[in-house]
Amino acid sequence: MKSLPFLNPAAGSPAVRNPGRPAVIVPTQAIDAEELAAECAAAAATGIVDAVEWRIDPLLAAASGSVLTRAEAALSLLPRALTAGLPILLTVRTGFEGGQVEITEDDYAEAVRALIAGATGVEVGDRTAAAAGVESGVPGAAASGVPVAIDVEIDRAESRSLIASAREAGVPVVASHHNFEVTDSAERLLATFTAMSEASADVAKVAMMPQTPADVLRLLEATSTADASSAAPVLGISMGPLGRTSRIMGADFGSCATFAQIGQASAPGQIDAVVLAEILDRVTG
Ligand SMILES: O=C1C[C@@](O)(C(=O)O)C[C@@H](O)[C@@H]1O
């Protein structure tokens, strides 16, 4: 298991203190500033969360105007998320992959490009994000010194150029691929991990729906194989109740992080974050 590459050392969260422990990432689907600030603060207050994923697809779906206007509306809220001090993973989960925003390939690329620019240019206080990133040495750090990373769906038409743009801007990238129906074949899973690694993603993540225990095993084996052959951290998730082994013991198969819920889950099978942290305390110390 490799470490999640956008932890915030200053947060002193469990994965920061113990590099052998997978990062716990908690999603928020907040669509306004108050909800976002409150959910990030609540996650930080538990002391067991390492990063927050802000799923902005519900906000993009609810807002009106061009995709650029809607992405900018989301970005204007980002400083509220950063005040809690936990790293933020910005995710536009499209309808293609089980998310809430129906979006064209062109609009997805435009939204992600706007988010990359915003993640490097967020102003908190009087320093620019890019300057703070250089000073703090934290990749993708916003002005507060809190890392901001971005999710890019590897199957989107412009994924490779989006990943290249994010890396050029110093924003860490989590490449994603989801199948909410079944679990891909072993060959397809490995090809997906390889494509993510070849595109230079900072984390290669797949989330699959199992139908049988053998599907969970195939996902875990592919994750472990990909971890052994890739320089970048990997993350393999088997969703639904059947896949919970992957969310609890995934680190033993190479996963650098696990998604857990506080309040609303963002995918089937997520475990309560506090309960999961207690289990991880017991099994990983
Ligand atoms: O990609 C992922 C993983 C996930 O689908 C899960 O299964 O926990 C949850 C999503 O919010 C996130 O973007």
Side-chain angles (χ1 to χ4, degrees):
M1 186 211 109
K2 304 171 186 88
S3 292
L4 186 72
F6 52 92
L7 292 169
N8 181 10
S13 61
V16 169
R17 298 197 306 270
N18 178 359
R21 185 172 164 120
V24 171
I25 304 175
V26 165
T28 169
Q29 304 192 58
I31 60 170
D32 64 49
E34 282 64 42
E35 193 186 4
L36 180 65
E39 293 199 1
C40 291
T46 62
I48 53 90
V49 176
D50 295 288
V52 170
E53 177 191 47
W54 183 19
R55 283 273 305 265
I56 66 167
D57 41 303
L59 190 157
L60 296 184
S64 53
S66 71
V67 73
L68 202 54
T69 310
R70 290 183 279 153
E72 279 166 1
L75 280 167
S76 72
L77 308 186
L78 184 56
R80 300 297 296 273
L82 294 170
T83 53
L86 292 175
I88 301 295
L89 170 61
L90 284 175
T91 298
V92 179
R93 183 66 61 239
T94 66
F96 297 111
E97 303 226 4
Q100 293 186 36
V101 67
E102 297 298 338
I103 195 167
T104 64
E105 295 282 5
D106 285 351
D107 280 357
Y108 176 76
E110 196 170 352
V112 171
R113 284 210 174 86
L115 293 172
I116 293 166
T120 50
V122 170
E123 285 187 16
V124 177
D126 57 3
R127 299 186 308 159
T128 66
V134 171
E135 283 167 23
S136 67
V138 179
S144 56
V146 179
V148 178
I150 190 145
D151 181 287
V152 174
E153 294 177 354
I154 197 70
D155 286 346
R156 301 283 61 78
E158 294 191 44
S159 63
R160 279 150 192 79
S161 106
L162 293 172
I163 293 171
S165 302
R167 288 184 54 87
E168 213 169 292
V171 177
V173 178
V174 176
S176 283
H177 170 63
H178 292 73
N179 188 335
F180 278 84
E181 303 298 322
V182 295
T183 298
D184 293 348
S185 67
E187 294 69 30
R188 174 116 202 258
L189 287 168
L190 287 172
T192 301
F193 276 124
T194 301
M196 291 170 171
S197 161
E198 286 177 357
S200 299
D202 296 275
V203 176
K205 166 169 60 99
V206 300
M208 298 280 124
M209 186 62 81
Q211 301 295 341
T212 66
D215 290 340
V216 181
L217 293 175
R218 190 164 72 255
L219 178 279
L220 291 172
E221 185 171 19
T223 305
S224 169
T225 303
D227 182 48
S229 63
S230 146
V234 299
L235 212 179
I237 302 164
S238 191
M239 295 185 284
L242 186 55
R244 65 192 160 198
T245 309
S246 69
R247 297 192 186 273
I248 299 170
M249 297 309 297
D252 284 354
F253 300 85
S255 284
C256 64
T258 177
F259 283 76
Q261 70 182 91
I262 294 180
Q264 192 190 1
S266 66
Q270 285 174 353
I271 297 167
D272 179 86
V274 174
V275 171
L276 181 60
E278 275 172 23
I279 299 171
L280 293 176
D281 283 346
R282 286 169 184 250
V283 296
T284 66

